[in-house]
Amino acid sequence: MNENLPPCPQCSCEYTYEMNALVVCPECGHEWVPAEDGADSGAPAEPVVKDSVGNVLKDGDTVVVVKALKVKGSPSGIKAGTKVRNIRLVDGVDGHDIDCKIDGFGAMQLKSSVVRKG
C-alpha cells in the first residue's frame, strides 16, 4: 500500500485510497487520476478555457462576440462583432467563465461559447 497518496483536491480529506488507476476520497466520493512523480508542482492546474471555435483562451486576450447578446436593463444588447479587450478567466457561475469590461456596458461576465479569439 502506498502511504504517499495526495489529499482530496475537493474536500482536503487525507484518507484517500487507490482503486485501479484512480485515487478515491471516502468522504466526498471524488475520484481522480494522480499526478505522475515530479509532475505535480504543488499548484492547482489551470482549467483550459476554449472559445466557440476551439481556440484556447488566456488572461489578457482580446475576443470578439459572435452573436448578439441581450443585457438586462439595457434597451440594446451587445452586438455581434463587438471587441472585448483584456479578458480575465474566472471560475464563474452558470458557465460564465470570462470577466471583462465592455465599452458602454461596464463590467460583466461572458460565456466562452459566445466569443472567438480576436
Side-chain angles (χ1 to χ4, degrees):
M1 179 178 243
N2 187 359
E3 298 297 326
N4 297 329
L5 292 175
C8 177
Q10 290 206 340
C11 70
S12 301
C13 173
E14 60 187 37
Y15 301 112
T16 58
Y17 61 92
E18 287 182 303
M19 184 171 65
N20 299 330
L22 299 174
V23 177
V24 181
C25 175
E27 289 186 7
C28 69
H30 180 64
E31 299 176 347
W32 72 98
V33 177
E36 296 296 324
D37 292 336
D40 188 17
S41 62
E46 288 288 322
V48 176
V49 178
K50 294 185 178 184
D51 66 1
S52 62
V53 293
N55 297 322
V56 176
L57 297 173
K58 61 182 189 227
D59 286 347
D61 280 346
T62 297
V63 295
V64 178
V65 177
V66 295
K67 71 180 216 178
L69 302 172
K70 295 179 182 176
V71 178
K72 286 184 181 178
S74 173
S76 65
I78 300 171
K79 296 179 181 175
T82 302
K83 271 194 172 184
V84 181
R85 292 182 178 86
N86 199 19
I87 65 168
R88 194 170 54 120
L89 302 178
V90 295
D91 214 9
V93 178
D94 234 9
H96 294 82
D97 45 10
I98 297 174
D99 199 17
C100 61
K101 289 183 183 176
I102 299 177
D103 292 337
F105 291 97
M108 59 179 21
Q109 290 188 336
L110 298 173
K111 291 184 179 184
S112 59
S113 60
V114 299
V115 299
R116 69 173 164 80
K117 200 167 186 176

